Amino acid sequence: MKKIGLIDVDGHNFPNIPLMKISAYHKAKGDHVEWYDPMFSGHMDKVYMSKVFSFTPDYDSPIYADEIEKGGSGYCISMVDGKEVYDKSKDKDLPYEIEHIYPDYSLYPEQTRETAYGHLSRGCPRGCAFCHVGCKEGRRSYKVADLSEFWRGQKNIVLCDPNILACPEHMELLQQLADSGAVVDF
């Protein structure tokens, strides 16, 4: 059993979906997973750090771990002359087996009570100057999951898709949402 630490660098009131999936993956393997705290966690085998926003300062407390892995848009996007610039060399996708696992909603009990979070599609054909989605996820919208990957009867669904209506399978995905009977926040 490994000791796995998680750090939500943004630390805001919105669940970090990749960290929830990483947690679920490691717990399924029998690993011990906890929020990392340098004062109380002790030495960890691996610590995952994730941030979404480029303007969030990086975590600056000491980390006692054999391995540290940083990921998320906040690490591959920087502000240059007031504009977000995406650097593909700094980006990494979650491995398939982690990307497609049901999230560990217990990490954010208050924010996820009766609410599921996830993506059904990625990418956007628009290419708006203020947005990094086209560079990061592609200039076309495409299906990445079925609703069952992150929803199991919760009353609410928060959909984080950049442009689900541009996805060729949008009618199928919208039908999944309608069939859920949940309140959907796009």
Side-chain angles (χ1 to χ4, degrees), residues 24-43:
Y25 173 78
H26 279 284
K27 285 180 177 178
K29 290 177 56 174
D31 295 334
H32 172 79
V33 180
E34 65 182 64
W35 289 114
Y36 182 77
D37 184 322
M39 295 291 290
F40 303 106
S41 294
H43 184 81

Side-chain angles (χ1 to χ4, degrees), residues 141-157:
S141 183
Y142 53 96
K143 178 182 174 182
V144 295
D146 286 308
L147 184 58
S148 61
E149 282 195 27
F150 61 90
W151 177 78
R152 293 197 182 145
Q154 294 94 327
K155 293 179 185 176
N156 305 296
I157 298 168

Side-chain angles (χ1 to χ4, degrees), residues 16 49 58 65 76 85 87 99 120 167 176 179:
N16 186 298
M49 300 170 61
D58 206 357
C76 62
V85 176
D87 183 349
E99 180 65 47
L120 295 173
C167 178
Q176 289 180 30
D179 291 347

